Amino acid sequence: MKTKYYLFTALMAIFCLTIHAQSQQNNAANTSEGIKFFQGTFAEALAQAKTANKPLFVDFYAVWCVPCRKMAKTVFTLPEVGQYFNEHFINIQIDAEKKENVDIAKSYKVEAYPTLAFIAPDGKALSVNMGAMDQNELLEAAKIAAGESVSFEQLYNQYKANNNDLSVQQTLLLKAPAFLQAQEGMEADKWVTRLQKLYRNYIAAKAPNQLINENDYRIILSLEGSDDKAHKQYIVDLMNDHLDEWMKAVGKAPAYYIVEANDAFAEDLAKEGNAKYKEYVENVKTKYGKAYDVIGLTTINPYEKAKLYNDALFNLYKDKDVDGYIKAIQTYFEKMGSNLQAADYGKAAQNLYAAAGKVLKPKDHEVAIQWVEKALAQDDAIMDRVNYMVMIGDSYRELKNYDKARQYYNQGFAETLRLENMEMPQAMLQGAIKQKLATLELLEK
């Protein structure tokens, strides 16, 4: 795995990742029927929690986060939620991106919004839950924090006492991401190792038919990584062999899971220069044809799309056929038509740089710039925009247009300033861009 925590961060796909300017966190949650939020600082709220001998419930939000606003309107305002939280907790909402709250959010490992934390009166995290919750999920998390429901450790002890109880295992795996988010250091490592083993055994025990339900799909989506390709292939085939039942149980999502996994397998092999990628391309119209039919494309069929794209990648990475790649990708763009997304342009250029950066000619850099500019025009995600701006800057540097290169590097640096609550990635990106700017100065001398 890329990191030991990879399996338990995948749920972030459901969190608020796209930034849109929003004026203010909705205050509807402060109604008499719903949760009554403490009006004051975090330190003041924690002091009140100590006085009242109650845990603290903290809604870490950002003003631009749509799921945060939705929870404020539709969950925090519910009478049954308000009744429980107002009785058992001191409640506070924290704008995690305000300067005075950044260190507080960092101390509780807030990395996505909303993050819903339950904190003991002494300040120790009881549980930290990333992502929006519905009424039942929030109340269950609250009851565990209040000691009225079985804790994660207690559940694990139940599992150890009877490791054949699949219902206990399912509950453990569903709760694992929130529990691990509150762990640190060696303790977190210990639990990750335990839960990885539990996850594999659980899948083996229930496969194939008993897994076909919403909760187990959530577990697979959250805990199945991409580094163990053999196990992921096993999961994909399990879903594919019973696709009708899976879609009846949870909708079209399993078909998309199969398609995304098969596409990733084919692309990885093509980049390795391994002709086995062709087997995965053939899967598009044979083995996984039904799944690909579900996703639907309007201007190109899935097999043609997969073949054109992966053939181009294979020839580029294996033979450094830049001209052939550019021609094939231009055809790919034309055939994709309305199906094209910003990421398609960005990936096309990224592969060009990655596979043949040292042999690209000026005309190749000009093509790459055109592709990345199209991606930049359509993408609002900060990390993507920084990456695209640096890519364009690199091409202009190779073209010896140092003024343009500096312009895009500076624009990329400006974008990093929006990563206010992500200090480590912000520092790394800024350091890399500063290095590129320093290299420009040397080249201009």
Side-chain angles (χ1 to χ4, degrees), residues 1-228:
M1 296 188 302
K2 294 176 183 176
T3 72
K4 295 193 74 175
Y5 299 96
Y6 178 86
L7 296 181
F8 304 100
T9 57
L11 274 174
M12 293 183 69
I14 66 172
F15 303 157
C16 180
L17 299 178
T18 304
I19 297 178
H20 298 283
Q22 301 289 343
S23 61
Q24 193 74 13
Q25 169 77 359
N26 191 286
N27 291 320
N30 293 318
T31 65
S32 59
E33 291 186 332
I35 297 177
K36 294 179 181 177
F37 286 101
F38 179 81
Q39 300 301 306
T41 67
F42 176 82
E44 291 167 345
L46 194 58
Q48 184 163 327
K50 290 178 182 177
T51 301
N53 195 27
K54 293 181 177 181
L56 191 65
F57 167 65
V58 185
D59 168 31
F60 287 104
Y61 72 92
V63 295
W64 46 261
C65 173
V66 176
C68 301
R69 292 163 59 86
K70 184 176 180 181
M71 278 201 76
K73 288 181 179 180
T74 63
V75 179
F76 296 160
T77 54
L78 295 172
E80 52 270 46
V81 172
Q83 181 179 356
Y84 191 86
F85 275 74
N86 295 336
E87 179 181 348
H88 291 87
F89 302 96
I90 303 300
N91 309 293
I92 187 170
Q93 290 178 299
I94 297 289
D95 180 349
E97 294 191 337
K98 278 190 174 180
K99 185 177 180 180
E100 62 268 27
N101 297 327
V102 168
D103 287 341
I104 297 168
K106 184 178 179 181
S107 69
Y108 292 104
K109 299 190 289 185
V110 176
E111 297 175 349
Y113 306 115
T115 289
L116 308 168
F118 295 91
I119 298 169
D122 63 1
K124 181 180 179 181
L126 299 171
S127 69
V128 181
N129 307 270
M130 292 190 296
M133 294 182 172
D134 62 22
Q135 172 188 346
N136 293 333
E137 291 169 334
L138 183 62
L139 283 171
E140 175 64 15
K143 288 175 182 177
I144 291 173
E148 294 185 357
S149 187
V150 178
S151 71
F152 192 87
E153 290 95 335
Q154 289 170 324
L155 272 174
Y156 190 76
N157 288 335
Q158 288 181 21
Y159 155 68
K160 293 294 287 183
N162 180 9
N163 58 18
N164 293 318
D165 190 335
L166 292 175
S167 65
V168 170
Q169 293 180 39
Q170 184 186 67
T171 303
L172 269 171
L173 293 171
L174 286 168
K175 295 177 181 295
F179 172 77
L180 282 172
Q181 186 62 15
Q183 308 307 306
E184 295 182 351
M186 293 181 63
E187 191 70 13
D189 292 343
K190 175 184 73 177
W191 280 106
V192 168
T193 301
R194 287 174 174 175
L195 292 168
Q196 286 173 340
K197 182 178 179 180
L198 171 57
Y199 167 70
R200 297 298 176 85
N201 292 339
Y202 176 78
I203 294 294
K206 294 191 74 173
N209 294 329
Q210 291 182 30
L211 285 170
I212 304 174
N213 59 78
E214 289 187 5
N215 281 334
D216 284 335
Y217 182 72
R218 285 174 58 197
I219 289 171
I220 290 170
L221 196 65
S222 304
L223 308 185
E224 183 62 45
S226 60
D227 292 323
D228 186 343

Side-chain angles (χ1 to χ4, degrees), residues 300 304-316 321-336 340 348 352 367 371:
I300 186 173
E304 185 182 14
K305 173 181 180 289
K307 189 174 188 310
L308 188 57
Y309 178 70
N310 287 289
D311 285 350
L313 280 185
F314 179 77
N315 292 330
L316 175 66
D321 181 6
V322 175
D323 290 341
Y325 174 77
I326 290 174
K327 184 177 179 181
I329 290 297
Q330 295 286 25
T331 301
Y332 173 78
F333 288 159
E334 291 170 8
K335 289 183 176 291
M336 284 286 286
L340 268 178
L352 195 59
V367 170
W371 290 349

